[in-house]
Amino acid sequence: MLANRSVEVDAFMDALDHPMAGHVQRIRLAILDREPQLVERIKWRAPSLAVDDVDRVTFHLRPTDRVSLILHRGVRPVDDATPFRFDDPSGLLSMITDERGQVVLAAPDVDERLDDLLRLVHDWVRA
């Protein structure tokens, strides 16, 4: 078992009744494996991954026909000396606000774009 994997999130995932639960689990475990500094918990009734207690990647489980992840910089806007900018060469990220973006993947795209998503998450948590 991965050191950053949560028993609470494992139990949540075991009980999750969602058509995309298998894809959510695959992405979750791939991110945890690739990003050992991330710690997971349940936030907003979904798995969320944080660095230093600041949520950075949260699954959005309301859509049932796709996997949706919110990439953010915490619950509140961050007061930076210079405005936050993030470039996504993969094209997966749609910015919702200046500090929050969303990735949406249909079932067939999960396998096809998983490496791109993992690179995106890697870059996002370091931005």
Side-chain angles (χ1 to χ4, degrees):
M1 185 160 140
L2 299 167
N4 57 344
R5 194 166 158 181
S6 159
V7 172
E8 174 192 24
V9 179
D10 281 341
F12 176 88
M13 291 301 301
D14 287 344
L16 182 61
D17 182 19
H18 191 285
M20 300 291 283
H23 295 297
V24 170
Q25 179 76 329
R26 180 154 189 258
I27 292 169
R28 169 191 166 234
L29 295 177
I31 292 172
L32 289 171
D33 182 52
R34 174 99 180 244
E35 305 297 333
Q37 79 281 14
L38 290 174
V39 176
E40 66 175 350
R41 58 185 164 193
I42 298 298
K43 183 114 181 182
W44 302 306
R45 291 183 264 204
S48 188
L49 305 158
V51 176
D52 297 328
D53 207 35
V54 176
D55 292 289
R56 300 305 306 270
V57 179
T58 303
F59 285 88
H60 178 65
L61 298 177
R62 282 202 194 124
T64 58
D65 61 340
R66 59 196 177 274
V67 176
S68 177
L69 295 99
I70 304 299
L71 280 60
H72 48 102
R73 301 178 70 209
V75 179
R76 293 177 187 82
V78 177
D79 188 19
D80 290 328
T82 57
F84 177 74
R85 289 192 41 120
F86 186 82
D87 295 317
D88 170 30
S90 74
L92 287 173
L93 186 66
S94 298
M95 295 303 290
I96 299 168
T97 69
D98 291 340
E99 297 187 337
R100 186 176 303 244
Q102 181 176 28
V103 174
V104 176
L105 294 172
D109 297 331
V110 171
D111 289 334
E112 188 176 303
R113 301 297 308 267
L114 185 59
D115 288 337
D116 293 331
L117 175 62
L118 293 175
R119 276 191 294 282
L120 172 61
V121 168
H122 178 83
D123 293 342
W124 182 269
V125 299
R126 286 161 180 76

